[in-house]
Amino acid sequence: MTRWQEEAARLDAADPLADFRAHFLIDDDLAYLDGNSLGALPKATPDRVAEVVRAEWGEGLISSWNAAGWIDLPQRIGAKIAPLVGAQPHEVVVADSVSVNLFKLISAALAMRPGRKVVLSEPGNFPTDLYMIEGLEKQGLAERRLAERDGIESALGGDVALLLLTHVHYKTGEMFDMARLTKAAHDAGALVLWDLSHSVGAVPVDLDGADADFAVGCGYKYLNGGPGAPAFAFVAERHQADLQQPLSGWMGHAKPFEFSDDYEPAPGVDQLLCGTPPIVSMSALEVGVDLMAGIGIAALVAKSRKLSEFTRAAMADMVPELPCISPDDPEVRGSQLSFRARNAYELCQALIARRVVGDFRAPDVLRLGFAPAYVRFADCWRAVQTLRDILDSGEWRKAEFAERSAVT
Amino acid sequence: MTRWQEEAARLDAADPLADFRAHFLIDDDLAYLDGNSLGALPKATPDRVAEVVRAEWGEGLISSWNAAGWIDLPQRIGAKIAPLVGAQPHEVVVADSVSVNLFKLISAALAMRPGRKVVLSEPGNFPTDLYMIEGLEKQGLAERRLAERDGIESALGGDVALLLLTHVHYKTGEMFDMARLTKAAHDAGALVLWDLSHSVGAVPVDLDGADADFAVGCGYKYLNGGPGAPAFAFVAERHQADLQQPLSGWMGHAKPFEFSDDYEPAPGVDQLLCGTPPIVSMSALEVGVDLMAGIGIAALVAKSRKLSEFTRAAMADMVPELPCISPDDPEVRGSQLSFRARNAYELCQALIARRVVGDFRAPDVLRLGFAPAYVRFADCWRAVQTLRDILDSGEWRKAEFAERSAVT
């Protein structure tokens, strides 16, 4: 055993969350460091989904909207997500996708700041965040402004309606100081919308403590809700009475089953519901959320930091030629580490061939994510050791590893 | 046996689709006349969903975006829906909900008709259609105008950008003449968006033949995609190059995995994709679509008309006190019949207690839907006979049948 392998074994033996991997269906020989892209399958999910499909839909049919509580799923799951992000239960609801929820909440913020049109974000933010601002820009309702991270506070002029930032950067793992940026925006008269896609379930988030206005987040990463799982949205209690958003679908109506011609928004976050929610995907999400809520965010964060710290140190020692572009300090870093490599794509493919799954982010980033509920320190060690082997052997140069797929 | 029971038995014996009920999981003793609200469960769906969850997600994990073809699901299912609505395969895509797709396409139409702001519809249209126009109205981008059905053509003034109609009315089953209304709108310089939620899979639809511009439709009614299944959207080929819609999420980008800061729409209907699609719900939808496409729309329509004609005649004979508010002519009627009754809610509940499932639509409509793939003539007879019994016995007056649920 090498020094790092021994250290990994020691950390796994002392890991209070070690038993939780057994709640997921992951092969023992798989080092899955891509839970920040698609979370693993909880073992309880197949049975729950089968029950929803066979019993609730197949047998209960239309009656399940009441009898199986389908109609309350968006609020019920939202309330379970709330403690993971420092929100009150009635401040969070599950609906649609992150992208669609961004549109709703950017619009809501613009409506609350008449006379201001600028939505401020940073270049290199996750694309959909930037694209949804552009959508409103093409409608003539918003003006997109991008400022580099160190210039955001000075870019908060009197024309800024909303500051839209992703709390943990998808590519670098850099984490914003939510409380500080929120205060800076408020001082400039702007509102703030936090994208928690790479945060929820892995890093500390205190929306209410930071006085945040709005947030959205992803269900299929650290919440383990399955591919394309529905997303969630947060609206601070103080804004709920004034909330107005343009995707005013019938499920967000105060009395949807009166079928009236005129829209009357449902109270609170319920207004963020739009069409009929996808019950099967939503039920799968609930299982993942239950699992994360059961572990609790403090334990998840503690292990996440240990995993990334171990990996960072091992990489610096064993693979020093790949510079880490994630922050050194785990307190300002998401649950991931990113390394710059000219042949990141090929390296990533060669790792996958050896059952070490990280991912590639264009143009030159190799990203390793640490889902604390099921990643072992041994997986991290294996990733580092395998990367060393692949670089030493040159096997990443094989032509097959250069072939590009539709999704990279 | 009564005359109508005999007639039902005769029709069932001669029904070329009789064997298809066996492809659905429905109890033999259940007369399910609510497939126009939530379609029944195809027997192949549980296994397919289990495969997606356990093998594709659980084992394939992130690789399934390529290996299991998740990334192409929206187009693949769209192409299968196309022949059911008279469209070309590349004119249809599956995404989001009907409501969200309405917003995209109303917006797209407004962008194509600069200087015109009116979106014309009818009062009493399905609420979400009207509410989504209101959403754009609150943004200042649209002006909602409602005209009664016989006044629609004369309301098509030079300020109308879009005519938005639901092809088959959810409450009455009345069907618009798609070709005539589309031509009238075009003659007035307006575009047309058809909501096919109560049409697809049950009535003849020829979008291309009618020269329609846009359409949306529901996956969880006659397509049997499961509760809250994703919806579809149609854009006529001639409009695809000019398409511009504000929900410009990353999955609608020409090159989503380049993660660029600026939005560049994907070609054709792919631009209508917004966030990451819910793969589990979408995979369930595919099974339902495959089943309907396998039967073919001509056979579905033929049986639908026979079912509703049988029921209309039996009701007129056996329950003459409940007036039918659906058209007499099956060629201008959807796959449903609606009856006006002061105590429609209680009647509906009493029917359900006897395993005859129709539904109630506020304030006074009892609705019976005929999903041609699995409804038997015997089910229709039982609905009529049971309604007669319930009215004669007065059992609908029981207090328990008056209790209102969240979803009615």
Side-chain angles (χ1 to χ4, degrees):
Chain A
M1 279 219 213
T2 67
R3 170 187 150 212
W4 291 108
Q5 189 175 13
E6 280 170 14
E7 174 73 359
R10 193 187 64 73
L11 287 165
D12 276 324
D15 174 16
L17 300 193
D19 292 343
F20 277 95
R21 184 174 172 102
H23 290 277
F24 292 85
L25 189 117
I26 316 182
D27 286 348
D28 194 56
D29 79 336
L30 184 69
Y32 190 62
L33 303 180
D34 206 12
N36 50 330
S37 185
L38 175 64
L41 170 64
K43 279 188 185 156
T45 303
D47 283 351
R48 176 66 188 129
V49 168
E51 183 185 23
V52 171
V53 171
R54 199 177 281 275
E56 297 185 4
W57 169 18
E59 292 167 27
L61 284 160
I62 194 70
S63 74
S64 288
W65 281 104
N66 294 309
W70 289 349
I71 196 70
D72 301 318
L73 262 184
Q75 296 85 355
R76 188 168 89 203
I77 306 176
K80 290 174 176 183
I81 292 171
L84 297 172
V85 293
Q88 302 177 77
H90 62 279
E91 291 178 317
V92 182
V93 73
V94 170
D96 297 308
S97 63
V98 168
S99 301
V100 171
N101 290 335
L102 284 167
F103 191 86
K104 295 172 193 165
L105 294 178
I106 299 169
S107 301
L110 288 164
M112 285 178 184
R113 289 292 178 271
R116 293 176 176 225
K117 282 179 76 171
V118 173
V119 179
L120 180 65
S121 192
E122 61 165 341
N125 190 357
F126 188 77
T128 220
D129 299 69
L130 301 180
Y131 301 163
M132 297 317 282
I133 307 174
E134 279 191 85
L136 280 148
E137 197 170 43
K138 289 213 190 81
Q139 286 187 304
L141 301 172
E143 186 187 326
R144 189 178 85 162
R145 183 181 297 163
L146 305 183
E148 297 289 346
R149 200 156 263 250
D150 57 7
I152 286 172
E153 282 165 273
S154 55
L156 280 164
D159 53 357
V160 177
L162 178 72
L163 175 61
L164 164 56
L165 294 173
T166 299
H167 180 228
V168 169
H169 196 280
Y170 78 100
K171 199 186 278 191
T172 66
E174 290 171 276
M175 191 195 298
F176 278 110
D177 182 335
M178 183 180 285
R180 201 190 82 214
L181 270 296
T182 299
K183 184 174 184 309
H186 288 177
D187 288 347
L191 295 159
V192 184
L193 166 52
W194 289 101
D195 183 340
L196 304 176
S197 292
H198 287 268
S199 304
V200 59
V203 305
V205 179
D206 187 3
L207 288 169
D208 284 333
D211 207 24
D213 302 294
F214 305 108
V216 296
C218 179
Y220 57 79
K221 298 179 186 295
Y222 299 109
L223 295 183
N224 307 302
F232 67 89
F234 159 92
V235 177
E237 187 183 70
R238 66 183 177 283
H239 292 312
Q240 294 186 0
D242 298 325
L243 189 67
Q244 185 189 306
Q245 63 89 13
L247 292 176
S248 42
W250 75 304
M251 294 303 286
H253 192 279
K255 293 164 188 161
F257 294 93
E258 291 198 353
F259 298 94
S260 65
D261 282 357
D262 298 316
Y263 184 71
E264 180 197 333
V269 291
D270 292 5
Q271 186 198 145
L272 296 177
L273 302 181
C274 184
T276 308
I279 296 301
V280 179
S281 283
M282 212 172 254
S283 300
L285 171 62
E286 188 171 28
V287 178
V289 169
D290 281 342
L291 204 45
M292 293 304 101
I295 300 175
I297 191 65
L300 291 166
V301 168
K303 180 166 173 197
S304 157
R305 287 180 177 170
K306 280 192 189 132
L307 287 165
S308 65
E309 276 302 89
F310 168 81
T311 308
R312 194 175 67 87
M315 280 290 290
D317 181 46
M318 292 177 60
V319 192
E321 68 267 47
L322 297 193
C324 181
I325 62 168
S326 303
D328 285 344
D329 180 357
E331 301 218 352
V332 296
R333 185 173 75 208
S335 197
Q336 67 181 77
L337 288 172
S338 299
F339 301 90
R340 184 147 279 150
R342 209 152 59 97
N343 297 95
Y345 183 81
E346 288 79 359
L347 287 173
C348 185
Q349 295 302 308
L351 281 171
I352 291 169
R354 295 249 219 142
R355 307 275 289 155
V356 174
V357 179
D359 66 15
F360 161 77
R361 282 297 171 256
D364 60 357
V365 168
L366 172 67
R367 193 174 69 156
L368 302 177
F370 310 99
Y374 52 80
V375 170
R376 298 165 298 194
F377 292 91
D379 297 329
C380 301
W381 168 76
R382 225 181 100 206
V384 178
Q385 180 64 56
T386 308
L387 194 51
R388 183 70 270 155
D389 292 349
I390 284 167
L391 286 163
D392 290 344
S393 67
E395 70 190 67
W396 62 268
R397 296 178 192 273
K398 285 188 197 168
E400 69 197 75
F401 296 141
E403 279 164 29
R404 297 283 167 136
S405 306
V407 179
T408 60
Chain B
M1 279 218 213
T2 67
R3 170 188 151 210
W4 292 108
Q5 190 175 11
E6 279 170 16
E7 173 75 359
R10 194 188 65 74
L11 288 164
D12 276 325
D15 174 17
L17 301 193
D19 290 345
F20 277 95
R21 184 173 170 103
H23 290 276
F24 293 85
L25 191 118
I26 315 181
D27 286 348
D28 194 56
D29 79 335
L30 184 69
Y32 190 62
L33 303 180
D34 206 12
N36 51 329
S37 185
L38 175 63
L41 170 65
K43 278 188 184 153
T45 304
D47 283 352
R48 176 66 189 131
V49 169
E51 184 185 24
V52 172
V53 171
R54 199 176 282 275
E56 297 185 3
W57 170 17
E59 291 166 27
L61 283 160
I62 194 71
S63 75
S64 289
W65 281 105
N66 294 310
W70 290 349
I71 196 70
D72 301 317
L73 261 185
Q75 295 86 354
R76 190 169 86 202
I77 306 176
K80 291 175 177 182
I81 292 171
L84 297 173
V85 293
Q88 301 176 77
H90 61 280
E91 291 178 316
V92 182
V93 73
V94 170
D96 298 308
S97 62
V98 167
S99 301
V100 170
N101 290 336
L102 284 167
F103 191 87
K104 295 172 191 165
L105 293 178
I106 300 169
S107 302
L110 288 165
M112 285 179 185
R113 289 291 178 273
R116 295 177 177 224
K117 282 180 74 173
V118 172
V119 179
L120 180 65
S121 192
E122 61 164 342
N125 190 357
F126 189 77
T128 220
D129 299 70
L130 301 180
Y131 302 162
M132 298 316 283
I133 308 173
E134 279 191 84
L136 279 149
E137 196 169 43
K138 288 212 190 83
Q139 284 187 306
L141 301 173
E143 187 188 324
R144 190 178 84 162
R145 182 181 298 163
L146 304 183
E148 296 290 347
R149 138 167 327 230
D150 57 7
I152 286 172
E153 283 165 272
S154 56
L156 280 164
D159 54 356
V160 177
L162 179 71
L163 175 62
L164 164 56
L165 294 173
T166 299
H167 180 229
V168 169
H169 195 279
Y170 79 101
K171 200 187 277 191
T172 66
E174 290 170 276
M175 191 195 297
F176 278 110
D177 181 336
M178 183 180 283
R180 201 190 82 214
L181 270 297
T182 299
K183 183 172 185 312
H186 288 177
D187 287 348
L191 296 160
V192 184
L193 166 50
W194 290 102
D195 183 341
L196 303 176
S197 293
H198 287 268
S199 305
V200 59
V203 305
V205 179
D206 187 3
L207 288 169
D208 283 334
D211 207 26
D213 303 294
F214 305 109
V216 298
C218 178
Y220 57 79
K221 300 181 186 292
Y222 299 109
L223 294 183
N224 307 301
F232 67 89
F234 158 92
V235 177
E237 188 184 68
R238 67 185 176 281
H239 293 310
Q240 294 186 1
D242 298 325
L243 190 66
Q244 185 187 306
Q245 62 89 14
L247 293 176
S248 43
W250 76 304
M251 295 303 285
H253 192 278
K255 294 165 187 158
F257 295 94
E258 290 196 352
F259 299 93
S260 65
D261 282 357
D262 298 315
Y263 184 71
E264 180 197 332
V269 291
D270 292 7
Q271 185 197 146
L272 296 177
L273 301 180
C274 184
T276 309
I279 297 300
V280 180
S281 284
M282 212 171 255
S283 301
L285 170 62
E286 187 171 30
V287 179
V289 169
D290 281 341
L291 205 44
M292 293 304 101
I295 300 175
I297 190 65
L300 291 166
V301 168
K303 181 167 173 195
S304 158
R305 287 181 178 168
K306 281 191 189 135
L307 287 164
S308 64
E309 275 302 271
F310 169 80
T311 309
R312 192 176 67 86
M315 279 289 292
D317 181 46
M318 292 177 61
V319 193
E321 68 266 48
L322 297 194
C324 181
I325 60 169
S326 303
D328 284 344
D329 179 358
E331 299 217 354
V332 295
R333 183 173 76 207
S335 197
Q336 65 180 76
L337 289 171
S338 298
F339 300 90
R340 184 147 278 148
R342 208 150 61 97
N343 296 95
Y345 184 80
E346 289 79 358
L347 287 173
C348 184
Q349 295 302 307
L351 282 170
I352 292 168
R354 296 248 218 143
R355 306 275 289 156
V356 174
V357 179
D359 66 14
F360 160 78
R361 282 297 172 259
D364 59 358
V365 167
L366 173 67
R367 194 174 67 156
L368 303 178
F370 310 99
Y374 52 80
V375 170
R376 298 165 298 195
F377 293 90
D379 296 329
C380 301
W381 169 76
R382 226 180 101 205
V384 178
Q385 181 64 56
T386 308
L387 195 51
R388 182 70 271 155
D389 292 349
I390 284 167
L391 286 163
D392 290 345
S393 68
E395 72 190 66
W396 61 271
R397 294 177 194 274
K398 284 188 196 168
E400 68 199 75
F401 295 140
E403 278 166 30
R404 297 281 169 138
S405 306
V407 179
T408 59

